[in-house]
Amino acid sequence: MNSAGRLSRIWAGVVGLACAALGLVLVIQIANLADREAGLAMTVAASMEESGVTHPPTAVLLNFRSYDTWLEIVVLLGALLGVLWLADRRDLSHVKQPAEVALLRRLVDVVLPLAVLGGVFLLAQGTGAPGGAFQAGAIVGAGFLLGHLAGWQYLGRLHHVLPVAAAGVIAFGTVGLTAMVIGRPLLDLPAGAAYPVIVGLEVAIAISTALTLVMLVLVAAPPGGDKDER
Amino acid sequence: MTLAIDLAIVVLVLAVAVAALYLPDLFRSAVLFLVFGLMMALAWVRLDAVDIALAEAAIGAGLIGSLILKTVIQLGSSEQEDE
Amino acid sequence: MTPFLLYGSAGVLLFVVGLHRLVTVRHLVRKVIAANVMAGGVFLLLIATAARDAVETPDPVPHAMVLTGIVVAVGITAFATALIRRLHAETNSTTLEEQAVDGADDP
């Protein structure tokens, strides 16, 4: 046992030296890159009128690089399916409901509507200012998670709404394949009507992301129920 | 002046990350990881990436932090710490 | 010392320190934490590059990539922690060391 401990210490030291060497090489490379002025900022700025929105990251996420965003929410859905599969129960009966604490419940009664309001606000201003679908979905999801911790009983209803988690993927697929049917490239947004399509996609993403994130945190429990829920 | 703020934030981020990675108590590591996410949100604001700051605070620190914390608590105190 | 150099080096440091723990530590949850720290380091370097290339506003393409990366990271962390919990429920262990399991059902 003692020699195994020493061996692992030597191994840790060797790996530490290798990592330090790697870090040094990378920092030197970054110093070489410090002067270069490259990047796509100019290209994106030149195409902003066609994109339909006024906030560059939103334009990149939902128009110029919308394929990446589509695959991103597919990955999120895949993670949800994986977590549900590992939990071995499709219903949420194994998730322990925390006991209701009166003070926390009162707090959540105030915070949860604010969270939903904040999420909707971020979603609405995401086309022109920092915000957007993912942030909105995360904040609304966090509000609902707080509600669960405060003792809200909505898990039974959540189980029936589960297919809504695929709404984002389906919305993207519909828009993308419609473009292909018309004869244009995949996910090519119409030049004049890009804004309403982007807003629709953002709403779908926000709803499905909120639901998926809530489910991901709640459902990840081993079969047989949570052992010790604090 | 502004470089001093950047330096302070970088030092904070690195210190909290090293603490989260190397402290022997798993619960403390999980909580420090959550703090690490919030320090990263500060760095995003300094780098003029407000969307990323919102997303990191909510998703990166909040949701990933609570996932890890939930796992640590559920693994229970019967776990033997190993290096 | 430009902001790019400062934040970029910080990103590299995070990546390298996370890599060290990812490789050397055996507890699986610690590996998950280390992987997430590495991801944070990569994002920091990307956003530092975006800030360096700013023309009125920072380069939005790395912003979109990092946003995507954060969402993917939460999905992966959720799945990884679910796997860890399932492993713990089945074998009462939190490492991937070889176990002397009787009647193991490995093919």
Side-chain angles (χ1 to χ4, degrees):
Chain A
M1 199 65 83
N2 223 353
S3 64
R6 274 185 55 218
L7 196 60
S8 71
R9 281 193 186 278
I10 294 176
W11 169 240
V14 167
V15 172
L17 280 178
C19 288
L22 176 66
L24 197 60
V25 167
L26 287 175
V27 170
I28 292 175
Q29 290 306 311
I30 289 176
N32 287 341
L33 288 177
D35 305 322
R36 191 168 313 169
E37 294 278 334
L40 291 168
M42 304 270 313
T43 319
V44 170
S47 316
M48 278 306 293
E49 289 100 46
E50 306 170 9
S51 68
V53 297
T54 47
H55 189 48
T58 307
V60 172
L61 263 179
L62 286 179
N63 196 341
F64 303 143
R65 311 269 320 179
S66 51
Y67 190 50
D68 297 342
T69 309
W70 189 19
L71 294 184
E72 161 190 7
I73 57 182
V74 166
V75 166
L76 203 56
L77 185 62
L80 177 62
L81 291 175
V83 165
L84 280 176
W85 171 65
L86 279 171
D88 238 1
R89 314 258 190 105
R90 298 313 179 266
D91 59 356
L92 302 179
S93 58
H94 61 284
V95 179
K96 214 156 135 190
Q97 184 74 39
E100 178 167 326
V101 177
L103 189 60
L104 191 57
R105 179 63 184 267
R106 290 269 185 215
L107 179 68
V108 170
D109 283 345
V110 171
V111 166
L112 182 57
L114 284 178
V116 173
L117 195 62
V120 171
F121 172 68
L122 280 178
L123 179 62
Q125 78 159 10
T127 53
F134 294 105
Q135 293 86 337
I139 288 182
V140 171
F144 274 92
L145 280 172
L146 268 181
H148 172 255
L149 287 175
W152 265 27
Q153 308 262 357
Y154 58 77
L155 288 176
R157 274 157 282 177
L158 203 58
H159 163 60
H160 297 296
V161 192
L162 199 49
V164 176
V169 177
I170 294 176
F172 261 92
T174 310
V175 167
L177 293 175
T178 307
M180 286 190 77
V181 162
I182 296 182
R184 296 217 300 275
L186 178 70
L187 281 175
D188 192 35
L189 297 186
Y195 179 72
V197 174
I198 287 182
V199 169
L201 285 176
E202 286 222 308
V203 170
I205 292 176
I207 294 177
S208 63
T209 302
L211 182 63
T212 306
L213 290 174
V214 170
M215 296 284 298
L216 277 179
V217 178
L218 285 183
V219 175
D226 296 337
K227 271 198 287 204
D228 179 23
E229 187 79 32
R230 205 180 286 181
Chain B
M1 176 58 195
T2 55
L3 197 63
I5 299 179
D6 288 330
L7 198 58
I9 290 181
V10 162
V11 166
L12 267 177
V13 166
L14 288 172
V16 174
V18 167
L21 288 172
Y22 286 94
L23 279 185
D25 186 7
L26 196 57
F27 183 74
R28 229 172 272 184
S29 288
V31 172
L32 280 170
F33 175 75
L34 210 147
V35 175
F36 165 73
L38 294 178
M39 296 295 113
M40 292 284 277
L42 284 181
W44 299 143
V45 172
R46 282 297 298 166
L47 285 171
D48 208 8
V50 185
D51 309 76
I52 315 282
L54 287 170
E56 175 81 41
I59 305 176
L63 287 168
I64 297 185
S66 63
L67 273 172
I68 292 180
L69 206 54
K70 201 170 193 274
T71 307
V72 167
I73 291 177
Q74 288 201 350
L75 288 181
S77 55
S78 60
E79 271 316 303
Q80 296 304 318
E81 277 308 311
D82 78 302
E83 268 290 306
Chain C
M1 169 74 79
T2 65
F4 169 71
L5 195 55
L6 180 64
Y7 283 105
S9 309
V12 165
L13 275 176
L14 284 175
F15 182 82
V16 156
V17 166
L19 179 65
H20 176 246
R21 283 301 266 182
L22 182 68
V23 170
T24 57
V25 86
R26 284 179 300 159
H27 197 278
L28 287 172
V29 176
R30 291 192 184 277
K31 283 190 192 275
V32 168
I33 293 179
N36 274 303
V37 169
M38 287 173 71
V42 172
F43 297 157
L44 200 49
L45 179 57
L46 273 173
I47 303 295
T49 314
R52 179 201 71 186
D53 293 337
V55 178
E56 289 180 12
T57 57
D59 189 354
V61 177
H63 281 13
M65 290 164 68
V66 167
L67 199 55
T68 301
I70 291 178
V71 173
V72 168
V74 78
I76 290 181
T77 303
F79 190 55
T81 51
L83 279 171
I84 293 174
R85 284 198 241 205
R86 187 60 186 261
L87 176 72
H88 181 73
E90 304 277 334
T91 66
N92 207 39
S93 149
T94 54
T95 68
L96 290 177
E97 311 286 273
E98 294 295 319
Q99 323 249 347
V101 181
D102 316 311
D105 50 349
D106 283 345

